Amino acid sequence: MALAPKFAGQAYSAGVSPKNVHTIELYLDYVCPFSAKMFNTLYSSVLPLLPKKYPSKVQFLFRQQIQPWHPSSTLVHEAGAAVLRLSPDKFWPFSAVLFEHQKEYFDVNVVHEARNETYNRLAKLAGSVGVDESKVFGLLEIADKPGEDGSLNTGNQVTDDVKLMVKANRRVGVHVTPTVLFNGIEEGSISSGFTGEQWDEWLEKNIK
C-alpha cells in the first residue's frame, strides 16, 4: 500500500532512502467509458504538468481493474499485461490508444469474434505504439489443444500476471471504475468528470 510522504520513514529498503512522494492510484477499466474520460484528461492535460509543477513530489499508478460483466474486459487487460511484460515504458501510450479505440472492444463489437481474433486486433494496437506485435500475440494466444497434462483451462502466458492484479485489487475492496486512492486512502472527491483545471486545483491543494 502507498504511504503518505509524512509516513515515509516507515519504509525501509536496503541502500534506498525513504521517498517523500505522494501516490495517486487510478483503478481503471479499459472498456469503462468513465475510466476513459478520466484517463484521457489526465494523459493529455495533467501528466505533462507534473515535471514542471510537482517534480519528484507525486506519482500516478494505473491499477488495471477488470470488470467481469464485460467479458472483453479480461481480454483487453491481458493485452495491457502483455505490454507491461514486453515494454513497460509503452504501457501508458498503449493505454491511451486502447482507450481511444475502446468502443471496438465493447460487447456488441466482439460477440461474434473468436478470442484469438480479438487478441490479434489488440496485438496490432500494441504494434501501433512500438511494441512487437508478434510477441504480444504470442503472450496472449490461447492454444486449441490440451496442455501436456491434459488440462483444458490452459490460459495464456499472462494469466498469472492477471491473477496477481485481481488479487491485489480485491484486497483493497475496489469495485467501481474509476476509483482513485490518494496515499492508500480512497479519495471520493475526485470525479471522472474532472477537467484539467479541476485536477490542477486539486493537486495544488493536496500536493505539498
Side-chain angles (χ1 to χ4, degrees):
M1 179 179 285
L3 282 171
K6 62 184 176 182
F7 301 138
Q10 293 176 343
Y12 181 91
S13 298
V16 179
S17 300
K19 291 186 177 180
N20 187 36
V21 60
H22 293 278
T23 300
I24 298 174
E25 298 171 79
L26 310 166
Y27 288 79
L28 306 174
D29 175 33
Y30 287 128
V31 291
C32 166
F34 301 102
S35 292
K37 190 173 185 179
M38 176 176 281
F39 180 91
N40 291 337
T41 299
L42 282 166
Y43 194 71
S44 63
S45 302
V46 180
L47 300 188
L49 296 176
L50 300 186
K52 302 173 186 176
K53 297 191 68 171
Y54 308 101
S56 303
K57 290 186 177 181
V58 62
Q59 64 175 342
F60 282 78
L61 302 182
F62 187 132
R63 301 290 194 190
Q64 293 177 242
Q65 176 77 358
I66 294 171
Q67 302 291 37
W69 47 87
H70 298 303
S72 62
S73 180
T74 297
L75 309 188
V76 292
H77 283 289
E78 286 177 323
V83 171
L84 281 174
R85 181 87 67 87
L86 295 169
S87 302
D89 60 316
K90 298 293 187 181
F91 175 76
W92 284 75
F94 172 70
S95 296
V97 74
L98 182 48
F99 274 124
E100 181 182 345
H101 291 267
Q102 72 167 186
K103 289 184 180 179
E104 297 171 20
Y105 301 93
F106 284 2
D107 292 346
V108 170
N109 291 324
V110 297
V111 66
H112 295 301
E113 187 172 60
R115 185 171 173 183
N116 281 337
E117 290 175 341
T118 305
Y119 287 148
N120 188 55
R121 288 200 292 129
L122 288 162
K124 290 182 183 298
L125 208 58
S128 73
V129 297
V131 187
D132 190 308
E133 179 182 327
S134 63
K135 290 182 178 179
V136 172
F137 184 73
L139 292 177
L140 297 175
E141 185 180 16
I142 298 292
D144 60 0
K145 296 179 176 58
E148 293 181 1
D149 59 355
S151 60
L152 300 177
N153 274 328
T154 54
N156 57 31
Q157 294 187 54
V158 295
T159 296
D160 287 342
D161 294 349
V162 169
K163 286 181 179 179
L164 288 174
M165 293 176 188
V166 172
K167 183 176 182 178
N169 294 5
R170 286 175 176 173
R171 288 287 183 183
V172 297
V174 170
H175 174 58
V176 300
T177 53
T179 292
V180 179
L181 270 60
F182 179 53
N183 294 328
I185 299 172
E186 186 171 346
E187 182 51 66
S189 70
I190 295 177
S191 164
S192 62
F194 261 28
T195 63
E197 291 75 16
Q198 287 173 306
W199 268 107
D200 195 21
E201 290 174 5
W202 189 92
L203 289 167
E204 285 185 354
K205 180 180 177 181
N206 291 278
I207 305 301
K208 307 296 184 182

